[in-house]
Amino acid sequence: MRIDILTLFPDMFSGVLNESILKKAQEKGAVDIRLVDFREFADNKHKTVDDYPYGGGAGMVLKPQPIFDAVEHVTAGSPGARIILLCPQGERYTQKKAEELAQEEHLVLICGHYEGYDERIRQYLATDEISIGDYILTGGELGAMVIVDSVVRLLPGVLGNEASPVDDSFSSGLLEYPQYTRPADFRGMKVPDILLSGNHQLIAEWREKESLRRTFLRRPDLLAGYPLTEKQKQWLKEWEHERETENSGSQCE
């Protein structure tokens, strides 16, 4: 995969791209990440990339010319590239979106700044608009880092254990089950006996149940469209009954 990141602040990415999984992925050749300062594509002697908005208003707006020229440069010979605009008005980013983007050969991420983009960038250039959450950042760089990290870790051969991304929270539609490691008894806090039993079938069922329980308790909204099995539906009924019993008991005290 190739990823081009269009930004006015390429130095912001040096630490992120040169450490941990992203560094290893590049060394393995799983991904080719390129930083492009789109200021270099400005067609004026002062390399200005923003201007006052028509109609007045606060702040400055990114001009279309430098970004159009930069995108056309990095996508020459790559007509199927996904052009992603980092924008608070965009689709909220999810694990499902990360999995979708991980199937692409070429991604171009455009990091905005100032008050926003000239609308023609959004309308005629971008194929996707993505927001990483309902809050405002100074620019799109941090959002781009999030997308790059979440996508690259899904590429074949990047993680040591190919099952790792499959078991992650949100990949299955549920939150991940609790994890434990050595020692089995730490300051009197013990690992559940079933994980020490060696019975893989029981362990798998325990993990399934705990994954569902954690989702039920912490993110019940995720269950709205989840295809529950009959066994899982029964577990939910039991937990809902337990919750109702606890609530009624506390009200009587």
Side-chain angles (χ1 to χ4, degrees):
M1 171 183 277
R2 173 178 165 183
I3 301 177
D4 287 282
I5 304 173
L6 275 57
T7 173
L8 295 174
F9 304 98
D11 289 345
M12 288 182 65
F13 292 85
S14 59
V16 173
L17 299 182
N18 294 310
E19 299 288 346
S20 189
I21 296 297
L22 291 180
K23 178 182 179 181
K24 293 177 181 178
Q26 293 174 86
E27 291 174 345
K28 290 180 178 180
V31 64
D32 177 12
I33 303 175
R34 306 181 187 186
L35 297 170
V36 180
D37 184 349
F38 61 84
R39 190 182 298 278
E40 297 302 317
F41 290 84
D43 62 359
N44 59 85
K45 65 179 181 179
H46 297 297
K47 296 296 182 182
T48 303
V49 296
D50 61 325
D51 208 337
Y52 295 102
Y54 280 122
M60 305 290 279
V61 175
L62 285 170
K63 299 167 65 173
Q65 178 272 318
I67 293 179
F68 268 81
D69 284 4
V71 169
E72 289 166 358
H73 174 76
V74 301
T75 59
S78 181
R82 294 281 286 269
I83 315 300
I84 300 169
L85 201 64
L86 278 299
C87 171
Q89 302 172 30
E91 168 190 357
R92 186 182 294 187
Y93 195 56
T94 63
Q95 182 65 23
K96 182 178 180 181
K97 191 69 174 183
E99 292 167 359
E100 174 189 328
L101 296 179
Q103 304 303 312
E104 299 291 338
E105 294 183 2
H106 189 187
L107 302 178
V108 179
L109 307 180
I110 305 175
C111 303
H113 225 74
Y114 308 115
E115 188 62 24
Y117 303 95
D118 183 292
E119 186 65 18
R120 289 164 290 191
I121 298 170
R122 187 191 316 277
Q123 189 173 1
Y124 298 106
L125 187 62
T127 61
D128 300 81
E129 294 180 52
I130 290 178
S131 167
I132 62 168
D134 295 342
Y135 47 85
I136 305 300
L137 298 171
T138 304
E141 283 76 15
L142 293 176
M145 295 175 196
V146 168
I147 292 173
V148 169
D149 186 273
S150 62
V151 168
V152 170
R153 67 188 304 278
L154 296 174
L155 300 179
V158 170
L159 296 182
N161 184 347
E162 293 300 324
S164 292
V166 177
D167 291 335
D168 287 338
S169 291
F170 304 112
S171 291
S172 66
L174 302 176
L175 300 183
E176 189 176 15
Y177 49 80
Q179 297 271 27
Y180 298 87
T181 188
R182 297 176 184 175
D185 186 337
F186 175 67
R187 298 181 181 178
M189 297 175 281
K190 298 181 179 181
V191 172
D193 291 338
I194 194 169
L195 297 179
L196 308 176
S197 68
N199 188 320
H200 297 294
Q201 182 176 346
L202 290 180
I203 290 173
E205 182 173 300
W206 180 89
R207 286 175 169 172
E208 176 191 357
K209 188 172 185 178
E210 291 305 311
S211 179
L212 184 64
R213 188 200 305 271
R214 179 161 287 185
T215 306
F216 168 72
L217 295 174
R218 301 185 181 187
R219 289 292 305 275
D221 56 296
L222 296 176
L223 298 177
Y226 188 79
L228 295 165
T229 65
E230 290 303 315
K231 178 175 63 176
Q232 291 172 331
K233 290 178 182 178
Q234 184 58 42
W235 288 339
L236 287 177
K237 287 181 181 179
E238 293 173 3
W239 297 331
E240 288 169 353
H241 178 69
E242 290 174 3
R243 175 177 286 180
E244 291 172 359
T245 301
E246 290 174 358
N247 289 339
S248 62
S250 62
Q251 291 172 4
C252 294
E253 292 176 357

